[in-house]
Every structure is written in C-alpha cells, then in structure tokens.
C-alpha cells in the first residue's frame, strides 16, 4: 500500500487515542466518520489498524479502531504534533466517588477479572482475553461479570478475514481491581 496524507492523518488520529484511558487506546469510528472509508479499509487490509466491535452489558455496541504493531511503527515515522497539542495530552477519566460501588464477587469471579487483566497485558493476545482461555471457567460467572458491567465483550476484525473474540475489563472492573483510582 502506498500511503498518502489521508492515510497519515487517520493513523495519527488513531495514535492520538492510544493514551486515552477512557477509550482503552482505541478510536471510536463515529469520530472518523468524515474520513474516507476507503482509506480506512486500505489501512485495515494493510494491517496498520484493526476494527473492534465492543458489546456492552446494556446492549449497546460500538465500533472502534486500534493501531497494530505495524501501525505503531508507521506512526513513529510520521511527524508528530507539537507538545502543546491537545492530541498529545493524556485524558484521564475521573469517575465520581458515588460510582465506585464495591460489589461482592466470589473467588472464581475475582480469578476471571484478574486473568482478563493479565491477558490484556500480553502482547500476542492483542489486549484481550480470548474466549478459548475462558473454557476453564463457569460460563455463568463470566456472564454475571458481563451483565454487571465488569467486563466488555470485544470482536476484532483484522482485515484479512481473520477475527478475534474475547473480553476486556471495563472501567468498573479496573476500579474493582484497584488498577485505576
């Protein structure tokens, strides 16, 4: 693929969201709706970005874009914005104290949360815990965590016809584990 200015702008936009904790380093597609969708598909096919479909417990679904390793390397080559640019500032989501409701979880549910957190840190799993790894746990406990908003279901489209499915922690799950405050 031969990159042009539009490809570079899209990659920079996705990279700008990589530090935003609220979005887990992914760019919602509704924010790139004015970009050329053909250019986004070209980046997807070239392996610079991946498309993720996220399902929330309330039933809403969101489509997000995430940089791959090749995309991160491509962004390093591109010119970066100024240090004072709002695109470089890290936005930290602050949840009010009233929203930090501690709920009682059983031991297996706590194990699931910890495992989802640790699998999301392993690079080869792409930031999520694959459904294959959940086979040792009771499906009921996984569904309870999803319904209560501790985990989020994710489907990743890699562009070459490959798809990945798994779980990531929601902000509520991260708060519960004490990862963010």
């Amino acid at each position: 693929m031969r990159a042009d200015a539009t490809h570079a702008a899209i990659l920079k936009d996705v990279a700008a969201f990589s530090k935003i904790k609220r979005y887990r380093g992914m760019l919602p597609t509704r924010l790139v709706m004015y970009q050329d969708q053909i250019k986004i598909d070209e980046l997807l096919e070239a392996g610079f970005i991946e498309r993720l479909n996220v399902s929330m417990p309330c039933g809403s679904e969101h489509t997000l874009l995430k940089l791959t390793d090749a995309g991160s390397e491509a962004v390093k080559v591109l010119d970066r914005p100024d240090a004072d640019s709002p695109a470089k500032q890290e936005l930290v989501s602050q949840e009010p104290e009233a929203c930090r409701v501690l709920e009682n979880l059983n031991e297996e549910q706590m194990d699931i949360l910890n495992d989802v957190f640790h699998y999301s840190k392993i690079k080869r799993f792409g930031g999520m815990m694959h459904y294959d790894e959940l086979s040792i746990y009771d499906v009921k406990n996984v569904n309870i965590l999803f319904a209560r908003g501790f985990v989020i279901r994710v489907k990743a489209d890699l562009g070459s016809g490959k798809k990945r499915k798994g779980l990531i922690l929601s902000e509520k799950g991260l708060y519960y584990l004490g990862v963010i405050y």
Side-chain angles (χ1 to χ4, degrees):
M1 178 189 90
R2 189 167 184 195
D4 59 12
T6 307
H7 291 116
I10 294 168
L11 283 175
K12 284 182 181 180
D13 288 345
V14 176
F17 273 73
S18 67
K19 299 289 182 193
I20 301 176
K21 291 181 181 180
R22 177 179 177 197
Y23 293 109
R24 306 282 188 277
M26 298 176 276
L27 174 66
T29 54
R30 69 177 184 272
L31 297 178
V32 290
M33 61 190 281
Y34 295 110
Q35 295 284 1
D36 187 5
Q37 292 300 315
I38 295 171
K39 300 288 186 180
I40 293 173
D41 290 337
E42 288 173 357
L43 287 170
L44 186 69
E45 290 295 322
F48 289 115
I49 59 174
E50 60 184 2
R51 187 177 290 136
L52 297 144
N53 295 312
V54 176
S55 301
M56 301 297 215
C58 63
S60 66
E61 293 191 8
H62 304 283
T63 304
L64 303 140
L65 299 175
K66 182 180 177 184
L67 280 179
T68 61
D69 292 337
S72 297
E73 292 298 320
V75 170
K76 288 179 184 176
V77 173
L78 299 171
D79 293 330
R80 294 211 177 257
D82 298 73
D84 298 332
S85 173
K88 276 197 92 169
Q89 295 176 357
E90 184 174 343
L91 300 177
V92 179
S93 173
Q94 296 294 328
E95 188 170 355
E97 280 295 320
C99 294
R100 294 186 190 185
V101 178
L102 293 180
E103 299 182 33
N104 293 327
L105 297 178
N106 64 33
E107 188 175 333
E108 184 174 2
Q109 290 168 344
M110 283 300 297
D111 288 343
I112 294 169
L113 284 182
N114 282 313
D115 285 352
V116 171
F117 175 72
H118 289 292
Y119 272 92
S120 68
K121 299 295 179 192
I122 300 173
K123 193 173 189 176
R124 73 177 181 163
F125 289 107
M128 72 175 78
M129 183 176 185
H130 291 270
Y131 283 132
D132 300 339
E133 304 297 329
L134 290 169
S135 62
I136 61 171
Y137 295 112
D138 185 16
V139 177
K140 181 180 176 185
N141 283 324
V142 176
N143 288 336
I144 287 171
L145 289 172
F146 175 71
R148 291 168 75 182
F150 287 100
V151 295
I152 301 170
R153 292 183 180 144
V154 177
K155 296 177 196 170
D157 178 16
L158 301 176
S160 59
K162 295 181 183 176
K163 296 187 188 235
R164 293 182 296 144
K165 294 181 182 180
L167 297 175
I168 61 172
L169 287 177
S170 66
E171 282 190 33
K172 185 177 180 180
L174 291 169
Y175 275 108
Y176 195 81
L177 290 178
V179 176
I180 58 176
Y181 303 99

